Every structure is written in C-alpha cells, then in structure tokens.
Amino acid sequence: MHAKKSIFFALFASTANAFSTAPFINRNYQNAVASRSFMSDLADDSPSDTSNEDTIDIQSEAIEPTVSETVVSSIFDELPEGLVTSVSKDTRAKINEAVLKLEAMNPTEDPAMSPLLNGIWSLRYVGGYDDDWALKSPTRQLALFAYSGGYSPGTFALSLASSLPSGLIDVGELEIAISREQPRVEAKVDVKFLGGASNAVIVKARLESNSSVRLSETYESASVLGQSIDLPEIVQYSRDLYIVYLDEDILIVRDASGVPEILVRKQ
C-alpha cells in the first residue's frame, strides 16, 4: 500500500507542474445545437396511380435558431476540436463576451439544484488567465491553483493520465459523470496500453449545493490504473462553483476566480 501511495503522489506532484501543457483530446465535436431545418418535397417519380388532384404542395420552412443557440454556436466557432485549455487573447475575449450574454439568458431556475445537472458531460473549454502582465514563475500555476480552489476533477484526471509514460499508454477521452448519489462527480479518462489492455484514471468528488447557483466540489478519491487511493484530507481540494448557464445541452460554470468552464452533454 505504501508503494501505491508513493506512485500516486509522484503523479500528483508532476501534475501540478505540467498541467498547463496538458494535450488536447482528439475527438470530433458534435454541435450541441443540431440543425432544426427541414424540407419536404413531393418526388417527381410518384406512383402511376397518383393523380394531379391528389398532389399536395408542402412549403419548406426553416426554423431560425434562438438567440441563445446563436450565441452558443459563436463560442464553438472559435474553438478547435478537443478539450481547449489555452486560446489566444482575442479568442478568450470573444468567448468571455459570449458567456456573459448567455448568463443573462439562463433558462434554468435554481440551476445548482436542478436535475439537469445529472448526466454525462464532455469538458469542452477551460478558461485561463492572461499571461501578458504576469512574470514568468515556476510557482505561478500553484498560486493560481490555490487561489481558485484547485483544478476541476476532469482536468485533474486528464493531467494524471497525461503524466503516465506516453510511450506505453494511449490517453483517451475525458468524460465527467454527475449523478444524484455522493460522490456525485466522477471524472474518467480511459487509457489503453500498447499491448491492447484497457484501464482508466478516475477522480471522484463530492458536489453539494450551497445556494440556488453555488456548488462546492471536494475531491474524495482517485484511481490510477485500477489502484484506488482515498485522498488524505490535506489534498482534498475544495472549490466553489457558480452555475451561470444550464440547459439540456450546455453547462457553464465559473470558479471562485471567475474562470469559466464549458461542458457539453453526451447523455
């Protein structure tokens, strides 16, 4: 058991230093807002027993996207495929402006208590900090980590998986499952060994509502390649989350420092 803990905390230490360079997840993003236009035309090669009197002309109608759908589409138009943790200053500004617009259109009352939170989500965007003003420092990421209350379980799990030997393991897709029972959050990254065996890196966290819009998220346990370790209290990071937008397809939260995270529902 002592050896297992040593392996885990070695990975944890490397994660804190290497997090800012975590690789993107290679996956095809399916737009959260599907096209809702349709066309119905009577085929020219109708059966021979169809008379002119039976012909009905159906006018095609394109349903225009709602304002919120247009804003959501504008966000994803700015992002490449996969999980995005670093963007240009201009792109970050456009995304922040779009998120502010969506906050005013949040359709879900009391989102922190809503059953819409439950499901399987794909973490699509993690906002960052502008580096233009900051001095280069090896401790800057640790300071931001402490200020915001820690990384999300999803990015933590991804960083743990990325800390494994890249020549031996293929890191798969990140999924974040939110359920009704505690620990409500399970962030899972599938990993596959070159020999074909599959395993996973899993981080679990408690999620509790403190108000109609505020949640607290506390790390509880981690599992690296099947070896589970309950996190000691000293590293059970906890952070506050504020739900600024929630509908059937999109979840947007901000941490205590105001950095947004955008998730897209998978199930």
Side-chain angles (χ1 to χ4, degrees), residues 118-197:
N118 300 324
I120 298 178
W121 300 86
S122 173
L123 183 60
R124 188 64 179 83
Y125 171 76
V126 179
Y129 300 86
D130 194 340
D131 289 327
D132 291 347
W133 57 271
L135 297 175
K136 299 297 181 181
S137 169
T139 61
R140 181 169 182 261
Q141 285 295 326
L142 292 176
L144 294 176
F145 181 94
Y147 177 66
S148 65
Y151 302 132
S152 73
T155 49
F156 180 40
L158 181 61
S159 295
L160 282 176
S162 301
S163 300
L164 297 170
S166 58
L168 301 176
I169 291 177
D170 180 28
V171 177
E173 184 176 318
L174 167 67
E175 287 187 352
I176 299 175
I178 302 178
S179 62
R180 291 188 293 269
E181 303 297 329
Q182 297 288 6
R184 292 184 63 187
V185 178
E186 179 181 285
K188 178 181 178 182
V189 180
D190 290 323
V191 295
K192 187 174 183 179
F193 292 90
L194 295 184

Side-chain angles (χ1 to χ4, degrees), residues 6-209:
S6 299
I7 292 173
F8 174 78
F9 288 114
L11 289 172
F12 177 81
S14 64
T15 296
N17 294 325
F19 173 77
S20 60
T21 58
F24 293 165
I25 301 174
N26 294 321
R27 65 181 299 270
N28 293 324
Y29 170 69
Q30 296 181 345
N31 288 330
V33 181
S35 173
R36 298 189 300 157
S37 62
F38 62 91
M39 177 77 72
S40 296
D41 293 307
L42 192 65
D44 293 336
D45 55 346
S46 301
S48 58
D49 60 349
T50 302
S51 65
N52 291 335
E53 289 77 15
D54 295 330
T55 302
I56 300 175
D57 291 330
I58 300 176
Q59 298 295 324
S60 62
E61 180 183 358
I63 300 177
E64 295 296 326
T66 65
V67 176
S68 62
E69 289 173 347
T70 301
V71 176
V72 169
S73 295
S74 72
I75 292 176
F76 292 111
D77 286 344
E78 297 292 334
L79 298 177
E81 292 183 359
L83 171 61
V84 179
T85 59
S86 178
V87 295
S88 68
K89 183 177 181 180
D90 181 61
T91 297
R92 184 187 299 112
K94 290 179 180 179
I95 293 174
N96 285 337
E97 289 174 359
V99 169
L100 286 173
K101 291 179 182 178
L102 280 177
E103 289 182 19
M105 295 183 282
N106 184 13
T108 304
E109 186 177 357
D110 300 331
M113 303 176 182
S114 172
L116 283 177
L117 278 175
N118 300 324
I120 298 178
W121 300 86
S122 173
L123 183 60
R124 188 64 179 83
Y125 171 76
V126 179
Y129 300 86
D130 194 340
D131 289 327
D132 291 347
W133 57 271
L135 297 175
K136 299 297 181 181
S137 169
T139 61
R140 181 169 182 261
Q141 285 295 326
L142 292 176
L144 294 176
F145 181 94
Y147 177 66
S148 65
Y151 302 132
S152 73
T155 49
F156 180 40
L158 181 61
S159 295
L160 282 176
S162 301
S163 300
L164 297 170
S166 58
L168 301 176
I169 291 177
D170 180 28
V171 177
E173 184 176 318
L174 167 67
E175 287 187 352
I176 299 175
I178 302 178
S179 62
R180 291 188 293 269
E181 303 297 329
Q182 297 288 6
R184 292 184 63 187
V185 178
E186 179 181 285
K188 178 181 178 182
V189 180
D190 290 323
V191 295
K192 187 174 183 179
F193 292 90
L194 295 184
S198 298
N199 214 304
V201 173
I202 299 173
V203 175
K204 294 184 178 182
R206 297 183 64 83
L207 191 67
E208 298 172 319
S209 59

